[in-house]
Amino acid sequence: MKKNLLNILFISLSILTISGCSSNEESDPEVVVDPPVIVDTDPLTTSNAATYLVDANATKETVALFYNLKKLAKTKFAIGQQAAFNSFYQDAGGDSDIKKNTGYDPAVLGSDFMFIADKGNNNQVGNWFYGEEVKIVADVKLAYTKGMINTFCWHLREPNKEESFYAADLTSEQKATAFKSILPGGANHEWYKKKLDKIASVVSNLKGTNGELIPIIFRPFHEFDGSWFWWGANFSTPDEYKKAYQFTVDYLKNTKGVHNILYAFSPDNSYTTQADYLSRYPGDNYVDVIGMDNYGDFDNQGSTGASRANSKLKIIADLAKTKVKIAALTETGYQVTSTKPPVTDWFSTYLYSALISNSIEVSYVMFWNNTKDAYWVPNGTVSNASDFKTFSSKTKSALVNSLPKMYELPK
């Protein structure tokens, strides 16, 4: 579960510090991988790629991103980090910490709609939240210019006071009603639509130098199988969750006419069977990326945890093959602090083996953001810097320098 969130009233003029999202508790049940029914030859081609996207009217760059991510997984996985251009260990600004270590920027940049959609954002110069929006938009455009992939999560504050996204900060009554209230017909449905209006406005104005819309991956209501967020499993039924996810996609795509989004479905790591994973799945017509956030299996669990994580990744990788979707490890990491030292060979042995064993095909992996006092990705000055550098230079690893042209279909 994400911990150590700084209260919004005390945030400095830098990106919010949120530790990695998911639970670090070890999950003991054996992971059961159902025998997949997999087509021998990949049906995805450059000519039919558009037919596999959630959005039938997706821009050509968005179609190309889907195609190239899907094909990339056959040989490599892209490496990314949340807020890579604005979150540095020991506040050492400049290049991303990944670039400080390896000489190259990450292949994926993670961003958050949290401040963009915050009640405090008045869209005026000088407003702190608007300043964060401007910074995020600039980072997304920079990443696109570099050939990187952009993905967004959304730590949406609850609809009552809009002060927190953590269920622990809500009353029992608020926990029981908050998620239901944003569904169509609910007391806060119009409130939720206004939040989506803001997201639609920002995403529709993400443009490259030639005026083309920049594609993004958006994963709403992530880690929903846990209950640390107010949209978690204890506070919504599977049907309610599906309805909220479906409404979000339909509203952005059909009502607001946003056509540069790939939609990601990303629970935490609690599932052990394919049926578990799909219990809240909103349907193939609503999902482009089949993902998983997983911190717990990598929390100093050694080869046992890596194997367990690989089994869960195999479940989603097999589903991605049968459904012609993108598979991804949408969040992971092992946070090093002053009291929590690095795990030897965590990147190059344990994580790498989890991402490639059993011939799975995963398109990308993303680490959480570094902070002044802790890091998920080592820069070039810390003791496990060489471990990450080794990991990033392995055969199946890809930083931005190893990506193909992600926004063009191959000729």
Side-chain angles (χ1 to χ4, degrees):
M1 188 184 301
K2 286 198 176 101
K3 297 176 180 176
N4 301 322
L5 174 68
L6 299 181
N7 186 290
I8 187 61
L9 297 176
F10 303 102
I11 302 173
S12 62
L13 296 182
S14 60
I15 189 154
L16 180 72
T17 301
I18 308 173
S19 297
C21 281
S22 58
S23 172
N24 287 331
E25 293 181 2
E26 183 176 350
S27 52
D28 294 322
E30 180 181 357
V31 179
V32 179
V33 180
D34 295 345
V37 179
I38 299 175
V39 180
D40 289 336
T41 56
D42 187 350
L44 184 68
T45 67
T46 54
S47 59
N48 71 12
T51 66
Y52 288 103
L53 271 68
V54 165
D55 189 349
N57 297 308
T59 66
K60 63 184 179 65
E61 290 82 11
T62 307
V63 173
L65 178 60
F66 178 90
Y67 176 91
N68 288 317
L69 272 173
K70 180 69 174 168
K71 295 298 184 180
L72 179 71
K74 295 183 179 299
T75 57
K76 290 181 179 291
F77 54 83
I79 297 169
Q81 186 177 22
Q82 184 78 6
F85 297 153
N86 272 295
S87 61
F88 312 103
Y89 180 52
Q90 297 179 335
D91 285 344
D95 291 330
S96 66
D97 280 355
I98 288 179
K99 187 171 183 179
K100 290 188 185 84
N101 187 329
T102 66
Y104 300 101
D105 275 313
V108 184
L109 175 68
S111 299
D112 198 328
F113 285 124
M114 176 171 57
F115 293 148
I116 289 173
D118 194 278
K119 66 178 180 179
N121 187 344
N122 64 7
N123 302 311
Q124 300 296 314
V125 175
N127 174 265
W128 187 88
F129 295 94
Y130 182 67
E132 291 299 299
E133 175 184 327
V134 171
K135 187 189 301 181
I136 290 167
V137 167
D139 286 349
V140 168
K141 291 181 177 180
L142 177 61
Y144 176 73
T145 301
K146 290 173 176 281
M148 295 165 60
I149 302 146
N150 281 290
T151 178
F152 275 80
C153 63
W154 189 11
H155 289 90
L156 174 62
R157 302 185 198 282
E158 49 77 28
N160 296 289
K161 296 182 180 179
E162 296 188 54
E163 292 178 351
S164 178
F165 41 81
Y166 287 125
D169 296 328
L170 276 64
T171 66
S172 296
E173 181 181 356
Q174 288 170 342
K175 286 186 224 182
T177 59
F179 191 80
K180 294 174 176 61
S181 77
I182 70 169
L183 294 172
N188 292 308
H189 183 60
E190 292 303 314
W191 170 89
Y192 183 57
K193 285 167 64 175
K194 288 179 181 178
K195 298 298 184 185
L196 292 177
D197 289 344
K198 174 65 181 190
I199 287 176
S201 174
V202 169
V203 176
S204 295
N205 284 286
L206 291 174
K207 295 181 180 180
T209 55
N210 295 319
E212 76 280 16
L213 288 167
I214 297 172
I216 68 164
I217 299 167
F218 175 33
R219 50 193 191 99
F221 303 120
H222 66 297
E223 297 178 10
F224 52 83
D225 51 329
S227 292
W228 40 92
F229 297 139
W230 61 269
W231 56 83
N234 285 348
F235 318 120
S236 64
T237 66
D239 184 60
E240 287 167 345
Y241 180 85
K242 292 174 188 178
K243 284 181 178 178
Y245 191 109
Q246 291 166 353
F247 174 82
T248 301
V249 174
D250 285 336
Y251 189 78
L252 290 172
K253 175 170 61 86
N254 301 330
T255 303
K256 304 303 294 185
V258 182
H259 301 301
N260 51 322
I261 299 179
L262 298 177
Y263 294 93
F265 175 79
S266 63
D268 192 45
N269 70 346
S270 66
Y271 66 93
T272 55
T273 67
Q274 189 178 102
D276 287 344
Y277 183 85
L278 294 174
S279 63
R280 293 181 177 235
Y281 184 68
D284 292 346
N285 291 335
Y286 290 92
V287 176
D288 295 299
V289 178
I290 294 177
M292 168 183 67
D293 289 8
N294 192 344
Y295 294 89
D297 289 332
F298 293 108
D299 190 27
N300 202 11
Q301 304 298 320
S303 58
T304 300
S307 177
R308 192 163 53 240
N310 174 258
S311 297
K312 295 171 186 178
L313 285 170
K314 182 166 173 55
I315 289 173
I316 65 173
D318 287 346
L319 283 169
K321 285 185 179 181
T322 60
K323 295 177 177 295
V324 193
K325 307 292 182 183
I326 294 160
L329 182 50
T330 43
E331 273 187 44
T332 195
Y334 179 82
Q335 188 181 41
V336 176
T337 70
S338 59
T339 58
K340 189 177 176 185
V343 172
T344 302
D345 298 332
W346 187 91
F347 291 99
S348 59
T349 299
Y350 301 124
L351 178 60
Y352 190 75
S353 67
L355 287 163
I356 68 165
S357 296
N358 295 311
S359 302
I360 63 172
E361 295 179 3
V362 176
S363 293
Y364 65 92
V365 55
M366 195 177 71
F367 305 104
W368 203 244
N369 59 276
N370 288 355
T371 67
K372 178 181 179 180
D373 301 317
Y375 64 89
W376 300 91
V377 176
N379 60 22
T381 67
V382 294
S383 62
N384 62 335
S386 61
D387 179 32
F388 182 82
K389 193 168 186 178
T390 298
F391 165 76
S392 66
S393 62
K394 281 181 172 286
T395 303
K396 291 197 172 183
S397 300
L399 295 173
V400 68
N401 61 304
S402 298
L403 289 181
K405 292 182 178 180
M406 299 303 292
Y407 302 103
E408 298 176 17
L409 287 173
K411 303 297 184 185

